[in-house]
């Protein structure tokens, strides 16, 4: 199963972005996690089919109403993600 890491920047902390992202990922049936970064922005590691991942990348640009996403940088990971569900990390 393909795994990608997304680094999402812009106004994405303090606006409910992680919770919104987790809801979207769960709707799509993705596995993985989302967390805030200490340098600002949000990191997500997601595993799913190619079409699920593409849809989540597209949705990542939206975010909740108060968010302002400026960039979504993706990196394909070679390792297998050992996740049974989708989580929000603190």
């Amino acid at each position: 199963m393909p795994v990608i890491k997304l680094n999402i920047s812009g106004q994405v902390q303090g606006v409910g972005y992680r919770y919104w992202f987790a809801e979207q990922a769960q709707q799509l049936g993705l596995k993985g996690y989302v967390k805030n970064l200490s340098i600002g922005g949000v990191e997500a590691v997601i595993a799913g089919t190619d079409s699920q991942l593409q849809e989540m990348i597209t949705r990542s640009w939206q975010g909740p109403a108060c968010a302002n996403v400026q960039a979504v940088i993706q990196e394909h990971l070679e390792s297998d993600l050992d996740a049974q569900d989708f989580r929000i990390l603190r």
Side-chain angles (χ1 to χ4, degrees):
M1 184 176 295
V3 180
I4 59 172
K5 178 167 71 169
L6 301 176
N7 283 309
I8 302 138
S9 60
Q11 181 62 39
V12 292
Q13 287 192 13
V15 294
Y17 190 90
R18 289 178 301 150
Y19 298 96
W20 175 88
F21 190 100
E23 182 179 296
Q24 301 301 308
Q26 290 165 350
Q27 285 178 6
L28 291 171
L30 296 170
K31 309 287 187 226
Y33 68 83
V34 62
K35 68 178 183 176
N36 281 338
L37 297 172
S38 61
I39 58 171
V42 168
E43 175 186 284
V45 174
I46 54 177
T49 65
D50 287 334
S51 61
Q52 288 171 314
L53 296 176
Q54 283 300 343
E55 179 61 25
M56 192 66 229
I57 292 166
T58 299
R59 292 184 187 190
S60 296
W61 283 94
Q62 279 183 298
C66 295
N68 181 12
V69 177
Q70 294 178 352
V72 177
I73 300 170
Q74 56 184 303
E75 175 185 347
H76 291 273
L77 302 180
E78 296 298 322
S79 62
D80 199 23
L81 182 64
D82 184 28
Q84 303 302 314
D85 57 8
F86 197 87
R87 297 175 186 236
I88 298 171
L89 302 182
R90 308 249 177 250

